[in-house]
Every structure is written in C-alpha cells, then in structure tokens.
Amino acid sequence: MAARESIADLKKRAGKVSRALAKLYPEARITLDFETPWQCLAATILSAQSTDVGVNRVTPGLFREYPDARAMAAADRRHVEELIVKTGFFRQKTRSLIGAARKIVEDYGGEVPSEMEALVKIPGVGRKTANVILGHIYGKPGFVVDTHVRRLTYRLGFTKRTDPAKIEIDMQKILPARDWTPFSMRLILHGRQVCIARKPDCERCAVARDCPKIGVRTAPRG
Ligand code: SF4
C-alpha cells in the first residue's frame, strides 16, 4: 500500500493519523522529569534500555548531587554509578554522563548546544537524544525515532526504512515541521499502550482506518 501511495496521499493520511493521535494524547511530551537542558540530556541518556518511570526515580538524587554539566564533569565515577545503578547499564551510562559533561564544559562553556551537528558529537548522544533536546528545550522541530517510532512508522506504511536517520527524512517529507516532535512523542505513547510490539491491539486502535497494518501478521519489529 505504501509503495503505491503518492507523497500527497501519504501527507493526507499522516495528517489524519496525527489528528487522531493528538486527540488521544494531547500532552505530547517526553515523560522524563527535568528542569534544565543538561538535566534533559542526562535523563535521556539514562532512559536507554530503561523505563522513564525508572529514570524519574533516580534523577532527583542524581541532580541534587550533580545539578549541571560542570558538577558532572568533575564527578566521582563510582558515586555516579551508585546513584544510577537501578537504570541498568550503569557503567556505560556513567561513562556517557561524565564524558558528555566534560565535552560540554570544554567545548561549549558548560551549556548544552542547540544544533544537531554539535549535539551528536557529544559522547552518549545520538540522533534520538539530540532530537529530544531540540524539540523539548530549544523549540526546534526534531523527529524522535526510538524503537516504538521505528515499529509504528513501518506498520503505518509511512516508511520502509529501518535506519533512524532515514526514517526521520521520510517523516519530514510528509509532516509539517511543527508536528515532528509532538507526532513522534505520540507514536511512542501509542506504541506503549496500543500498537505494542508482539500484539498490536488493532481492534481498539484509533487510527486503524488509516493504517495498512504492514508487518503486523509477520515477525514483529522492535
Ligand atoms: S491499526 Fe494496528 S498496526 Fe496500525 S497503528 Fe493501530 S495497532 Fe498499530
């Protein structure tokens, strides 16, 4: 179905899906708790392979001890590991947090940069984290691709690609820039609650009429 659709038709269908999801999930924000750009970056790094609820349990303690990049750049590695151990992969995440903080202090005077090109050069920061920061902190459109977005954009027939950077490009062609961040946030929520990986609940899905359900009956995609 997707292969036969013109860009105009894809835009129209994406618009319908976008409006339906906006009604379902009006609060289109990431569910991580943070107050500053650094805290947004740190929480997003911690969210890899962990739930946002789990991250929100450890960040109050972490941010009390290390409230900004300067504090984290000088942190004791073992102490950080202890504070974040419950989020999993804590050694790797500690390396990312301290490495990111040092880069931000050394190259950007302690301020999280606001350009994709600079953000992805920071240790532990990929395009997903960079787009979260652009969209949530700097008000710049960023299409966030995580495992849910990858699965849903495929099932919905909006892309056939699996590389997050290419999915971003496909989605940017069919959605207005103002919708990039909120639409991707809503896909994440829909992927968690309805279009789950192993058993999508198509019968109670609000966008079922506009979804070709590609790949639903074959092997589920991450
Ligand atoms: S109709 Fe099914 S496959 Fe399509 S978005 Fe809804 S739950 Fe997912």
Side-chain angles (χ1 to χ4, degrees):
M1 177 170 174
R4 292 190 200 123
E5 274 185 293
S6 66
I7 287 283
D9 286 343
L10 279 168
K11 280 184 178 174
K12 207 166 150 190
R13 199 160 60 79
K16 283 190 196 171
V17 171
S18 177
R19 286 190 291 282
L21 292 182
K23 274 190 200 160
L24 265 186
Y25 312 109
E27 187 69 29
R29 287 192 62 79
I30 201 156
T31 49
L32 295 167
D33 296 335
F34 57 85
E35 289 180 0
T36 67
W38 161 255
Q39 292 180 359
C40 177
L41 185 146
T44 311
I45 286 175
L46 291 177
S47 71
Q49 310 292 324
S50 179
T51 64
D52 290 358
V53 173
V55 173
N56 290 339
R57 282 199 195 107
V58 308
T59 45
L62 181 72
F63 296 157
R64 201 162 38 244
E65 298 280 339
Y66 304 105
D68 53 32
R70 285 188 191 284
M72 181 58 76
D76 175 74
R77 179 177 55 81
R78 291 230 170 115
H79 187 218
V80 176
E81 286 178 357
E82 281 167 21
L83 290 168
I84 67 164
V85 66
K86 288 187 180 161
T87 68
F89 301 95
F90 62 95
R91 290 198 183 91
Q92 186 188 326
K93 288 178 182 177
T94 297
R95 274 197 299 278
S96 293
L97 287 174
I98 295 176
R102 288 181 179 163
K103 175 88 174 162
I104 289 167
V105 169
E106 284 163 18
D107 290 3
Y108 305 106
E111 301 297 325
V112 176
S114 60
E115 304 295 335
M116 170 64 82
E117 214 174 64
L119 283 165
V120 294
K121 288 185 184 146
I122 295 171
V125 176
R127 293 189 69 86
K128 178 191 141 191
T129 301
N131 275 318
V132 167
I133 291 164
L134 292 176
H136 286 74
I137 299 291
Y138 295 118
K140 294 183 177 181
F143 193 86
V144 178
V145 180
D146 76 342
T147 182
H148 299 293
V149 173
R150 213 159 64 91
R151 184 175 71 252
L152 267 71
T153 51
Y154 178 81
R155 284 178 173 171
L156 282 157
F158 293 145
T159 184
K160 290 180 170 172
R161 308 205 270 185
T162 53
D163 177 342
K166 290 180 177 160
I167 294 172
E168 277 180 46
I169 293 168
D170 285 349
M171 296 310 294
Q172 287 166 359
K173 281 184 197 156
I174 60 172
L175 283 170
R178 66 173 181 278
D179 288 348
W180 294 350
T181 303
F183 185 78
S184 52
M185 291 297 114
R186 286 170 179 136
L187 285 184
I188 292 171
L189 294 171
H190 203 56
R192 283 178 183 157
Q193 296 175 30
V194 181
C195 190
I196 55 177
R198 298 206 171 274
K199 207 174 172 207
D201 193 351
C202 300
E203 291 199 359
R204 77 173 181 96
C205 176
V207 300
R209 259 200 317 192
D210 293 302
C211 177
K213 307 173 188 66
I214 294 169
V216 164
R217 288 176 199 283
T218 57
R221 298 169 78 250

